[in-house]
Amino acid sequence: MNILIVGSGGREHAIAASVAKSGRVKKIYCAPGNAGIGMLAECVPIGAMEFEKLVAFAKEKAIDMVIVGMDDPLVGGLVDELEAAGIPAFGPNKNAAILEGSKAFSKDLMKKYGIPTAAYETFERAQDAEEYLKKQASFPIVLKADGLALGKGVLICNTLDEALSGVKEIMEDKKFGSAGNRMVVEEFLTGREVSVLSFVDGKTIKIMSSAQDHKRAKDGDQGLNTGGMGTFSPSPFYTDEVDAFCKKYIYQATVDAMAAEGRPFRGVIFFGLILTEKGPRVLEYNARFGDPEAQVVLPRMKNDIVDVCEACINGTLDQIDLQFEDNAAVCVVLASDGYPVAYEKGFEITGLEKFTEKEDYFCFHAGTKTDEQGRIVTNGGRVLGITALGGDLETARGKAYEAVEWVDFANKYMRHDIGKSIQESKGNADSSAFPSK
Ligand code: AMP
Ligand code: GLY
């Protein structure tokens, strides 16, 4: 098969590495890709939002399957365009990707179908939101821009003043663009967060092994929210009890709700869960693999990813026995110092060759490129994701922190406590999940 992957981050590198293991694959292309993906695939200079070019390219190269990694093209309807041209594509149609594309939609869906989530109100006008906050709200409270905002459209406000300036930022100053045309105001929940990714074929859902992301930029969950500074899988807090609850009230219920709405979902549903004292609640849905969740979950998957994606497209996922290794993975993100605000790019990365032919160690590229002189240089905030596998989380964590020293570049920055909370909070699952909020 010829496979085209759409995207350019660590997630797409992890997808490409999984696809490369498949015995069914002849050639992998990636649009636009990055320097690391270029070692496994032919990168083509087409942007993820250039739908016409992507469709033309897929036709020209007789692509048998397109895997769309990123949220923007999914929400924009790339899968529909590919299907219209007769090209099988993995990922939700536009009318289903709205599960991620509109927080108001996803909240209304959960309410209508009784899926446990935080209480909320939706507003179309800043004035109405302000009045509500003045009259009704208790603090902290959570404001969410309705649309896609690079993971930054969520504000946790401790006081009325903070909330009012949040409304202004989202709805009046349009800090997140048209994503702020509507806004959700939501009850603040506390608990341990868990990411659960799943494969879905429109009716059947198969759950992948759990993961946990570290979203804050600095050690001890301090600093600004980022796309994710590191992950580990599985999450020890995702117990059998939590799993049973989610299977009963959340996973199949979501898939059935989408089908009942005439929006059958095919692709990956990423459940952003919070384990509250009253039980698990859905914080958000994403319509794609997580980044960097994919970098710890996919290396642990036993199945051929191409078989699984094909089953999602064909509606035969019930015939797949999805299996994960009985091990653990930790991914530490190496970022450019200053991320997520301001940082320099273009620094040479050394030591990458140390990862070749090392079992259990992966170096997933996020923001990298090959410069005119053929050197691999930094090209983004999150530069590399260093993943290690081990028999248990502590072993995987030790190996990942050993491997982060193999590579170097100017302004290299990382957190030193990825996966550390696992040990510190044993038996104390949710008391320290939000130390800085
Ligand atoms: P989201 O993009 O909806 O996942 O929100 C980003 C982050 O904001 C989440 O991972 C949580 O850490 C936090 N968050 C979102 N909604 C809530 C909520 N209702 N209560 C507490 N924290 C939240
Ligand atoms: N790591 C969180 C996300 O991919 O949305």
Side-chain angles (χ1 to χ4, degrees):
M1 292 172 79
N2 295 320
I3 309 270
L4 169 64
I5 299 166
V6 177
S8 60
R11 163 183 50 214
E12 285 74 25
H13 193 176
I15 294 171
S18 277
V19 169
K21 284 196 298 187
S22 168
R24 303 175 59 191
V25 172
K26 192 168 81 192
K27 172 112 190 173
I28 310 172
Y29 298 92
C30 188
N34 62 35
I37 297 173
M39 298 173 198
L40 302 167
E42 183 178 329
C43 294
V44 286
I46 306 177
M49 294 306 284
E50 295 185 285
F51 292 2
E52 268 179 41
K53 286 188 190 171
L54 288 169
V55 172
F57 179 83
K59 276 197 201 156
E60 182 197 320
K61 299 290 180 188
I63 297 295
D64 299 292
M65 184 192 294
V66 180
I67 301 177
V68 185
M70 291 171 70
D71 47 4
D72 283 321
L74 289 169
V75 171
L78 175 57
V79 169
D80 305 60
E81 307 259 331
L82 290 162
E83 283 176 355
I87 302 152
F90 176 76
N93 288 108
K94 184 176 181 170
N95 74 351
I98 192 176
L99 190 62
E100 171 165 5
S102 166
K103 304 233 185 231
F105 171 87
S106 69
K107 295 297 291 189
D108 290 347
L109 185 89
M110 287 187 265
K111 189 181 200 174
K112 182 169 171 187
Y113 292 90
I115 298 164
T117 188
Y120 74 103
E121 295 285 336
T122 304
F123 298 96
E124 315 251 342
R125 298 189 330 156
Q127 205 189 336
D128 297 338
E130 286 157 7
E131 272 170 30
Y132 170 82
L133 288 165
K134 282 181 196 156
K135 278 194 202 129
Q136 327 246 349
S138 61
F139 297 88
I141 198 152
V142 186
L143 308 186
K144 297 186 173 184
D146 179 51
L148 294 181
L150 296 169
K152 293 181 184 146
V154 175
L155 304 177
I156 292 166
C157 306
N158 289 308
T159 62
L160 177 62
D161 278 351
E162 271 179 46
L164 293 176
S165 57
V167 174
K168 185 169 176 297
E169 270 178 31
I170 294 175
M171 299 197 89
E172 287 173 354
D173 305 345
K174 292 278 191 290
K175 190 172 169 192
F176 309 106
S178 60
N181 290 348
R182 269 198 289 183
M183 198 183 73
V184 171
V185 176
E186 189 174 286
E187 168 197 14
F188 176 77
L189 300 176
T190 51
R192 172 78 53 175
E193 288 182 50
V194 182
S195 303
V196 176
L197 314 187
S198 65
F199 290 102
V200 183
D201 74 351
K203 42 188 199 299
T204 301
I205 178 164
K206 299 270 164 139
I207 302 303
M208 297 181 228
S209 187
S210 63
Q212 189 179 320
D213 189 9
H214 296 259
K215 287 206 166 85
R216 298 299 191 105
K218 297 189 178 156
D219 284 12
D221 288 334
Q222 303 294 315
L224 294 171
N225 255 321
T226 71
M229 293 301 293
T231 38
F232 57 88
S233 171
S235 163
F237 305 102
Y238 190 80
T239 58
D240 290 346
E241 197 187 351
V242 171
D243 185 59
F245 181 98
C246 296
K247 284 190 170 130
K248 192 162 174 198
Y249 297 109
I250 296 176
Y251 300 145
Q252 189 69 48
T254 300
V255 175
D256 293 347
M258 290 299 281
E261 292 293 307
R263 300 170 182 274
F265 192 105
R266 280 179 291 269
V268 170
I269 300 182
F270 166 150
F271 298 85
L273 303 174
I274 186 161
L275 311 180
T276 74
E277 275 178 0
K278 292 182 190 155
R281 300 284 182 267
V282 179
L283 276 187
E284 65 157 349
Y285 293 114
N286 295 313
R288 49 167 177 82
F289 288 102
D291 190 349
E293 282 86 346
Q295 289 93 308
V296 284
V297 172
L298 288 179
R300 300 185 50 232
M301 190 167 94
K302 286 188 185 175
N303 304 68
D304 181 327
I305 192 173
V306 175
D307 291 344
V308 182
C309 292
E310 191 176 60
C312 290
I313 295 170
N314 295 340
T316 54
L317 190 61
D318 57 334
Q319 289 161 37
I320 297 275
D321 179 17
L322 195 66
Q323 289 195 1
F324 285 79
E325 304 284 351
D326 183 18
N327 62 2
V330 170
C331 172
V332 179
V333 169
L334 300 183
S336 305
D337 197 10
Y339 172 73
V341 184
Y343 47 85
E344 289 178 72
K345 306 191 277 197
F347 299 114
E348 183 174 9
I349 306 171
T350 56
L352 292 166
E353 70 288 348
K354 300 200 179 97
F355 285 87
T356 31
E357 290 172 26
K358 279 233 176 49
E359 240 178 78
D360 289 2
Y361 296 90
F362 303 82
C363 176
F364 296 119
H365 290 225
T368 70
K369 70 169 188 185
T370 308
D371 71 2
E372 290 93 46
Q373 296 142 48
R375 304 176 312 168
I376 296 182
V377 298
T378 64
N379 191 38
R382 292 191 291 178
V383 177
L384 301 169
I386 306 296
T387 294
L389 296 173
D392 55 32
L393 283 166
E394 275 180 55
T395 310
R397 178 168 189 272
K399 286 162 82 173
Y401 275 103
E402 172 200 339
V404 293
E405 300 302 333
W406 300 348
V407 278
D408 204 15
F409 53 88
N411 295 356
K412 174 176 144 185
Y413 174 83
M414 72 185 118
R415 275 183 63 161
H416 294 88
D417 60 350
I418 302 302
K420 202 173 167 198
S421 56
I422 318 161
Q423 291 121 351
E424 280 176 357
S425 26
K426 259 179 199 153
N428 181 21
D430 57 10
S431 65
S432 63
F434 297 98
S436 56
K437 277 174 194 161

